[in-house]
């Protein structure tokens, strides 16, 4: 087996580790709050309003952490960063149900949000670093699609297990699984070094394209002064926000009450949304390349979401 084949396999294994983390964090953050909504409200002695505040703390940490996470990922070893993110998510979910204290639950949601914020950026970085340019977008889209398998499988599984075992033990079990996965991944995944020739070539290309180097603050000023960036962000918020808040938190409770069915069936119905995501993400990538337009795909996708 030649060196090139070994490097390619190590890249794929690192990518799989990143995808597995995406599946894990997406599953625990969306399924646990959704399936166990009523149990958690009784456990913490809170109502729907306080439950919504807990969820908002997760997304607040998830949003704020994106910029520092991007900086960390650019500066440190990807495998080590991925392991730390795995541990943060796992410890956050363990702390969430360790004590029936609302303040501790709030802090654990912040911790969980920070850990989960690494997932997408890491996956994009791994795909961009270790796959050819013509395949990096496809690798990213496939990875994000697989990420939606977390809610698809965990929603009905958690609903079924909660009928057999105490829900708190199940959540703690998912946390322990995350810690074990992080340790095993760190000691078994090999991150190949970037080819010095390709790094030099990329640097030379970037140097030709950009005469000045911009620091973090200058880069942020450039980004946020771009009107198109603001519009795209607002568009993404309008599409992602309602779907995420419904499917990740209130979907199962809503379906149970409206249609009078048990939690397992309700979880299976809500998980179909994530199944649509699995099919839609690579399709959107394909269509944007085929039509040579991101805007058309955005309009078509939002129209389908509205319907």
């Amino acid at each position: 087996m030649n060196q090139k084949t070994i490097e390619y396999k190590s890249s794929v294994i690192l990518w799989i580790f990143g995808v597995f983390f995406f599946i894990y964090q997406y599953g625990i953050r969306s399924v646990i709050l959704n399936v166990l909504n009523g149990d958690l409200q009784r456990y913490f002695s809170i109502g729907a309003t306080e439950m919504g505040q807990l969820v908002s703390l997760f997304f607040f940490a998830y949003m704020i952490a994106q910029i520092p996470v991007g900086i960390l990922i650019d500066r440190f070893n990807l495998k080590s960063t991925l392991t730390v993110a795995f541990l943060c998510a796992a410890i956050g979910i363990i702390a969430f149900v360790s004590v029936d204290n609302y303040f501790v639950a709030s802090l654990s949601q912040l911790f969980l949000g920070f850990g989960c914020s690494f997932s997408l950026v890491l996956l994009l970085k791994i795909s961009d670093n270790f796959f050819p340019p013509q395949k990096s977008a496809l690798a990213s889209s496939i990875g994000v699609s697989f990420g939606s398998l977390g809610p698809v499988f965990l929603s009905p599984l958690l609903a079924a297990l909660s009928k057999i075992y105490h829900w708190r033990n199940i959540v703690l079990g998912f946390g322990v699984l995350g810690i074990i996965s992080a340790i095993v991944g760190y000691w078994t995944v090999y991150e190949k070094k970037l080819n010095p020739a390709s790094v030099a070539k990329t640097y030379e290309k970037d140097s030709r394209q950009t005469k000045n180097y911009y620091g973090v603050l200058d880069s942020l000023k450039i980004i946020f002064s771009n009107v198109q960036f603001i519009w795209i962000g607002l568009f993404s918020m309008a599409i992602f926000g309602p779907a995420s808040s419904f499917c990740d938190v209130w979907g199962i409770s809503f379906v149970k009450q409206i249609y009078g069915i048990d939690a397992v069936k309700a979880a299976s119905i809500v998980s179909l949304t994530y199944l649509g995501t699995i099919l839609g993400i690579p399709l959107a990538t394909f269509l944007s390349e085929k039509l040579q337009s991101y805007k058309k795909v955005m309009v078509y996708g939002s129209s389908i979401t509205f319907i």
Side-chain angles (χ1 to χ4, degrees):
M1 187 180 295
N2 58 43
Q3 183 64 25
K4 188 174 181 181
T5 303
I6 294 173
E7 290 181 351
Y8 178 75
K9 285 188 174 181
S10 67
S11 301
V12 173
I13 293 172
L14 178 62
W15 178 83
I16 291 173
F17 188 33
V19 171
F20 181 66
F21 173 62
F22 198 101
I23 294 172
Y24 175 80
Q25 64 84 29
Y26 201 4
I28 61 172
R29 71 179 174 87
S30 60
V31 171
I32 289 174
L33 291 174
N34 203 340
V35 176
L36 304 175
N37 197 308
D39 294 309
L40 290 170
Q41 288 188 42
R42 288 188 291 272
Y43 182 65
F44 294 114
S45 301
I46 58 176
T49 302
E50 290 81 7
M51 193 68 189
Q53 290 171 351
L54 277 179
V55 177
S56 67
L57 287 173
F58 167 86
F59 283 107
F60 178 77
Y62 188 90
M63 175 189 68
I64 295 297
Q66 292 293 321
I67 295 172
V69 160
I71 297 172
L72 289 173
I73 290 172
D74 280 335
R75 295 187 179 183
F76 293 97
N77 177 282
L78 287 175
K79 185 182 75 170
S80 300
T81 310
L82 184 55
T83 303
V84 170
F86 227 128
L87 290 173
C88 285
I91 293 171
I93 203 64
I94 289 174
F96 183 59
V97 296
S98 293
V99 292
D100 56 348
N101 184 285
Y102 185 74
F103 178 73
V104 174
S106 301
L107 291 179
S108 66
Q109 282 294 95
L110 291 172
F111 201 69
L112 179 63
F114 174 75
C116 293
S117 66
F118 283 82
S119 57
L120 179 59
V121 185
L122 271 169
L123 190 56
L124 295 176
K125 184 70 173 179
I126 293 170
S127 300
D128 185 58
N129 274 12
F130 301 117
F131 289 90
Q134 64 272 22
K135 293 183 180 180
S136 61
L138 180 62
S140 300
S141 63
I142 291 175
V144 176
S145 296
F146 281 147
S148 298
L149 288 173
V152 169
F153 290 121
L154 284 184
S155 287
L157 175 63
L158 183 57
L161 288 176
S162 62
K163 291 184 175 182
I164 304 173
Y165 306 102
H166 193 276
W167 63 269
R168 189 166 168 268
N169 294 333
I170 300 171
V171 175
L172 291 173
F174 281 125
V176 172
L177 173 64
I179 293 176
I180 294 172
S181 300
I183 295 172
V184 171
Y186 181 79
W187 289 110
T188 57
V189 174
Y190 167 71
E191 179 180 348
K192 79 177 184 69
K193 303 297 182 182
L194 289 175
N195 189 320
S198 64
V199 172
K201 185 177 179 181
T202 303
Y203 177 77
E204 182 181 350
K205 180 181 177 182
D206 291 341
S207 298
R208 290 198 303 266
Q209 291 177 343
T210 308
K211 294 183 179 180
N212 299 316
Y213 172 77
Y214 297 99
V216 176
L217 292 178
D218 290 331
S219 299
L220 290 175
K221 289 178 182 177
I222 293 171
I223 292 171
F224 284 103
S225 62
N226 188 323
V227 177
Q228 286 299 309
F229 173 84
I230 302 298
W231 281 117
I232 292 172
L234 291 173
F235 174 86
S236 300
M237 180 181 68
I239 294 295
F240 178 75
S244 179
S245 60
F246 177 76
C247 295
D248 292 358
V249 186
W250 307 110
I252 293 177
S253 300
F254 175 83
V255 172
K256 281 173 58 180
Q257 185 171 345
I258 295 298
Y259 296 102
I261 57 179
D262 62 23
V264 177
K265 290 181 180 178
S268 300
I269 292 172
V270 174
S271 67
L272 292 176
T273 303
Y274 301 105
L275 182 60
T277 304
I278 294 173
L279 301 174
I281 292 174
L283 179 61
T285 304
F286 171 77
L287 289 176
S288 62
E289 293 177 355
K290 191 75 173 177
L291 300 174
Q292 295 185 342
S293 171
Y294 293 107
K295 183 177 179 180
K296 290 181 180 178
V297 177
M298 291 166 69
V299 173
Y300 297 155
S302 59
S303 299
I304 293 171
T305 302
F306 174 75
I307 294 172

